Amino acid sequence: GFFQSYAVEVDIKDASNATCLYADWMMRFLITYESNNSDYKTTTLHLSSNVTHNGSVCGNDTQAALVAVQFGEGHSWSVNITKNNETYQGDFITLTYNTNDTAVFPDAKRKGPVTVLVKDPLHPVQLNTVFVCHNSYSIEAENITQIFWNVTVQAFVQNGTVSKKESRCPADTPTSAPTVPPTTANVTTASTTTLSPAPTPTPNPVENPDTGNYSLKSGNKTCFLATVGLQLNISQDKPHLININPKTTIADGACGNTTATLKLNDANSTLIGF
């Protein structure tokens, strides 16, 4: 199953009611926690539809800007953004998740809020420039992977108007194809002979996915076994194939008396449930 994630839009105004900080993005979190059985499980924390942004501030030359959001059953996320000469940059990201949320952490051994602090790895952005990143990127710290996509952020907005000048993330930058030097096989020479049209190249076949062995335990007994290769075919603007890599995929789930659930979290932020 594909789980719904919600976008967050934060538009902070200054004393004159002009926009001073704008952010619009999507994110989710993969969190590994200890269960009551003393084994470790990985769960996915999504943003809910009811998100607040209490505590967000504009910032100035001496005070950092702050984007702070609260969601779900006691979860919160924030990033402070500092200005330095002609640039601004994210400083520290703080995530607090609440293991009392039994829908996300149904059998957590540790109860209550847990806070994780991580340095923002993104590069500085020029002032009066909006940072944009459509493709997903992730930040890992301790037992948490934070995944972001469709990001638009500008701190220290000038004249109340979000800039049209963009600074793109490395994930959005296309990789140019290598230049192939001419050889005797591909140099074209003039000829009076009528040439046959070149044959249409055959598209490269898509590689089959690697087979993974996934299992769940109930106590000391294995209750779910799956040996399977997984490939997703997602049609949006155009078909897109994703192979699930067993080497970077974490199996989680639970076995009941009449039902069993297997969740696979791939490193590419794909979550599949059986």
Side-chain angles (χ1 to χ4, degrees):
F2 291 91
F3 295 85
Q4 177 70 46
S5 290
Y6 292 90
V8 186
E9 184 177 26
V10 177
D11 189 349
I12 307 301
K13 309 286 187 179
D14 59 18
S16 62
N17 201 35
T19 296
C20 60
L21 188 156
Y22 179 81
D24 187 356
W25 76 103
M26 299 183 76
M27 64 181 175
R28 63 170 168 245
F29 312 96
L30 304 181
I31 302 173
T32 300
Y33 67 98
E34 187 177 6
S35 72
N36 289 322
N37 295 327
S38 295
D39 58 349
Y40 287 87
K41 297 183 177 182
T42 299
T43 188
T44 303
L45 175 61
H46 296 269
L47 290 179
S48 57
S49 57
N50 55 336
V51 178
T52 58
H53 52 82
N54 300 325
S56 298
V57 295
C58 294
N60 51 42
D61 291 339
T62 58
Q63 179 186 10
L66 179 69
V67 179
V69 295
Q70 304 83 37
F71 58 98
E73 300 296 324
H75 313 295
S76 63
W77 180 92
S78 66
V79 58
N80 64 318
I81 305 171
T82 55
K83 182 165 66 170
N84 184 13
N85 296 327
E86 298 300 319
T87 63
Y88 65 91
Q89 182 178 18
D91 192 4
F92 284 98
I93 296 173
T94 304
L95 169 67
T96 298
Y97 60 93
N98 185 11
T99 57
N100 286 326
D101 184 351
T102 56
V104 182
F105 307 96
D107 55 351
K109 185 174 183 178
R110 176 181 177 180
K111 297 296 185 181
V114 180
T115 298
V116 176
L117 190 69
V118 61
K119 180 74 174 175
D120 190 335
L122 297 180
H123 297 299
V125 180
Q126 290 292 318
L127 290 175
N128 200 31
T129 302
V130 60
F131 173 77
V132 177
C133 192
H134 294 306
N135 287 286
S136 66
Y137 65 93
S138 61
I139 301 173
E140 296 185 12
E142 298 181 23
N143 60 327
I144 296 174
T145 301
Q146 305 186 43
I147 304 165
F148 306 88
W149 69 102
N150 288 346
V151 177
T152 301
V153 177
Q154 185 180 352
F156 309 102
V157 176
Q158 301 176 13
N159 302 321
T161 303
V162 176
S163 176
K164 296 185 181 301
K165 182 180 178 182
E166 295 183 352
S167 173
R168 288 299 188 100
C169 64
D172 281 4
T173 305
T175 304
S176 58
T179 302
V180 180
T183 66
T184 56
N186 60 21
V187 171
T188 302
T189 58
S191 173
T192 57
T193 306
T194 302
L195 299 177
S196 301
T200 303
T202 303
N204 293 328
V206 178
E207 294 182 359
N208 289 328
D210 292 335
T211 300
N213 296 306
Y214 309 102
S215 63
L216 299 177
K217 286 189 175 182
S218 179
N220 294 325
K221 295 183 178 180
T222 298
C223 62
F224 196 123
L225 278 175
T227 300
V228 60
L230 291 171
Q231 182 181 90
L232 306 182
N233 187 335
I234 303 172
S235 295
Q236 295 175 336
D237 296 332
K238 58 182 180 180
H240 181 54
L241 295 179
I242 300 174
N243 282 348
I244 303 302
N245 184 358
K247 295 180 180 179
T248 59
T249 299
I250 300 173
D252 188 19
C255 297
N257 292 330
T258 59
T259 61
T261 301
L262 174 67
K263 298 179 182 179
L264 300 180
N265 281 314
D266 182 74
N268 291 323
S269 75
T270 304
L271 177 64
I272 309 172
F274 295 94

